[in-house]
Amino acid sequence: MADLYDWVNDRLGIMPGLVYVVRRKIPADVNWLYTFGSATLFLFLVQALTGGLLAIYYSPSPDHAYASIQYIMNDVTYGSLVRGIHHWSASGMVLLVVAHMLRVFFTGAYKYPREMSWMVGVVLLVLTLAFGFTGYLLPWDEKAYWATVVGTNIAGAMPLVGDWTVRLLRGGADLGVLTLNRFYAMHVMLLPMAATVLISVHVAMVIRQGISYPPRRDE
Ligand code: HEM
């Protein structure tokens, strides 16, 4: 390991920085509630990996989407396992991100100097929910179709911009090929890129500032 360390460091000079990140000190009295952020990050990586594998067989067109999911479930080796992990991790990520936000709120960690971590976090929360909303349509079965009809109708209830938003989401008045393509592009390209950038910024801020001290009764 020492040789590998020297070999990489001779060329890039980044090893002391990486060691600092991994071995930096954290408050002695943090507890399990402080692991929700890292657990969310872990599930995000699980989603990226399993989603990439699913994309090898999934076909984002109304003619083939449903059949491609059936193929993944019944014929692809470990296909149902990979899809199952993607399905349950999606719900797990929503639960964990909310748990993480509640921990941050109730320990007052959103206050000075961590307001920017909180604001980036709010956008990450919206992105996490958008992942769920766009992913739900992709199986293109009855449940997916009607859930998206209802979800987009709710957006249509907004004053002034409601109709415009529905047409933007659906790519027209009704659900069809454009809707599925838009949701797929969001789900596998735009949202992952945005989330990767923002999670990197979020974690960089945590490393720079350190994790906040748990509140103490007398202070
Ligand atoms: C994809 C979603 C998210 C990921 C991967 C993520 C990741 C992390 C990680 C790894 C930490 C280090 C401390 C810990 O684990 O508790 C952290 C801290 C923090 N997060 Fe998040 N987070 C996410 C969403 C959010 C949300 C929704 C909020 C609030 C609206 C938020 C606000 C904060 C704040 C203020 C800190 C600093 C906490 C402290 O220093 O005690 N994060 N986040």
Side-chain angles (χ1 to χ4, degrees), residues 24 33-42 44 93 97-98 100-105 107 109-111 114-126 128 195 199 202-203 206 209-213:
R24 69 192 193 284
L33 301 179
Y34 287 72
T35 62
F36 288 148
S38 307
T40 311
L41 175 60
F42 174 73
F44 176 71
M93 192 173 159
V97 79
V98 171
H100 171 57
M101 189 176 69
L102 291 175
R103 189 288 284 174
V104 167
F105 182 76
T107 56
Y110 57 87
K111 296 178 189 173
R114 296 185 177 78
E115 302 95 323
M116 286 195 289
S117 305
W118 175 267
M119 288 187 279
V120 172
V122 170
V123 181
L124 284 172
L125 176 70
V126 174
T128 306
I199 290 174
H202 194 70
V203 172
V206 171
Q209 299 181 315
I211 295 179
S212 63
Y213 281 85

